[in-house]
Amino acid sequence: NAGVTQTPKFRILKIGQSMTLQCTQDMNHNYMYWYRQDPGMGLKLIYYSVGAGITDKGEVPNGYNVSRSTTEDFPLRLELAAPSQTSVYFCASRHRGQEEKLFFGSGTQLSVL
Amino acid sequence: RKEVEQDPGPFNVPEGATVAFNCTYSNSASQSFFWYRQDCRKEPKLLMSVYSSGNEDGRFTAQLNRASQYISLLIRDSKLSDSATYLCVVNPFSGYSTLTFGKGTMLLVSP
């Protein structure tokens, strides 16, 4: 059972480039999330989804986009990368009704230079 | 007042010591509370939920004080492997889709 899989693990972008962070889960979870974590800071919610075809903004959505065409996949798109988007990105998922049990991917370390 | 506040630490303790962390939350209507653990450069993982009556899981005890709006985590007989950052997590509303994470408290256990 793979759980939540994120790719890539590391990436360096130039300012203005775009990329997609991939996230897939094989646990048939309804809810999926994207967080970013800056050094010494807590997790900030970027976007979340409560099911296929449904997405909603979190605390820090600017500069990002998401889609949820299937239950398994929840990619995060960065358009026109900026240095402020340098961070560690975590994807997470959970079952509806199990609010405490978030399963996280191993994270993507992104640097924008 | 920030939604979830924690002392960032680090708390430096010797093996075998007892250490306690507190976390305060601003929303008095918050329904659910959790402690997650995050090892350096790793993803967070659920450590334990916090119940109104308090709960224990081995060496770990979690308490909730709704009147003062704080939760606590007590670790007894600290192990080297307990070295990590402990994240306080709050669900502001019952059934709400998202959780609010504190910045975490770092614990360093030394031999």
Side-chain angles (χ1 to χ4, degrees):
Chain A
N1 192 341
V4 180
T5 303
Q6 283 184 242
T7 56
K9 292 191 183 300
F10 304 95
R11 183 73 185 268
I12 297 174
L13 283 181
K14 293 182 180 179
I15 295 171
Q17 286 185 319
S18 300
M19 76 164 294
T20 299
L21 280 65
Q22 302 292 344
C23 176
T24 187
Q25 51 91 9
D26 62 359
M27 297 172 283
N28 201 31
H29 285 170
N30 312 100
Y31 292 3
M32 295 188 74
Y33 305 83
W34 273 107
Y35 291 91
R36 60 176 288 173
Q37 187 176 36
D38 300 323
M41 304 295 286
L43 291 160
K44 302 285 188 186
L45 182 64
I46 305 171
Y47 270 96
Y48 68 101
S49 168
V50 299
I54 305 170
T55 62
D56 211 343
K57 295 178 181 179
E59 189 180 354
V60 289
N62 292 343
Y64 307 94
N65 277 300
V66 293
S67 59
R68 183 96 182 269
S69 56
T70 66
T71 298
E72 294 78 22
D73 300 309
F74 191 41
L76 177 72
R77 178 83 178 161
L78 278 72
E79 303 283 1
L80 298 174
S84 60
Q85 293 178 305
T86 294
S87 189
V88 178
Y89 291 84
F90 288 103
C91 179
S93 71
R94 68 171 176 91
H95 275 300
R96 180 188 300 127
Q98 290 188 338
E99 58 181 357
E100 75 283 4
K101 190 64 173 173
L102 271 179
F103 291 80
F104 283 85
S106 58
T108 297
Q109 172 72 63
L110 176 68
S111 296
V112 182
L113 305 175
Chain B
R1 185 177 180 183
K2 295 180 181 176
E3 289 189 69
V4 179
E5 288 200 75
Q6 296 182 252
D7 181 341
F11 284 59
N12 288 284
V13 302
E15 269 187 298
T18 296
V19 62
F21 313 132
N22 281 345
C23 161
T24 58
Y25 60 94
S26 60
N27 185 349
S28 60
S30 295
Q31 296 290 318
S32 311
F33 310 89
F34 317 100
W35 285 102
Y36 272 68
R37 170 193 167 126
Q38 186 173 24
D39 294 318
C40 187
R41 300 181 186 278
K42 299 286 190 181
E43 71 273 21
K45 294 182 180 178
L46 177 67
L47 178 66
M48 59 195 304
S49 300
V50 186
Y51 303 124
S52 297
S53 55
N55 50 299
E56 192 172 303
D57 183 1
R59 298 181 293 108
F60 298 83
T61 301
Q63 297 276 357
L64 168 63
N65 186 317
R66 285 193 183 274
S68 300
Q69 293 181 214
Y70 77 84
I71 67 172
S72 64
L73 178 67
L74 180 78
I75 305 175
R76 291 180 300 277
D77 189 23
S78 299
K79 310 292 185 190
L80 294 176
S81 58
D82 294 334
S83 296
T85 296
Y86 292 83
L87 307 177
C88 173
V89 184
V90 175
N91 184 349
F93 305 105
S94 178
Y96 202 56
S97 301
T98 67
L99 303 175
T100 301
F101 285 78
K103 294 180 181 180
T105 297
M106 182 182 290
L107 171 66
L108 299 173
V109 182
S110 55

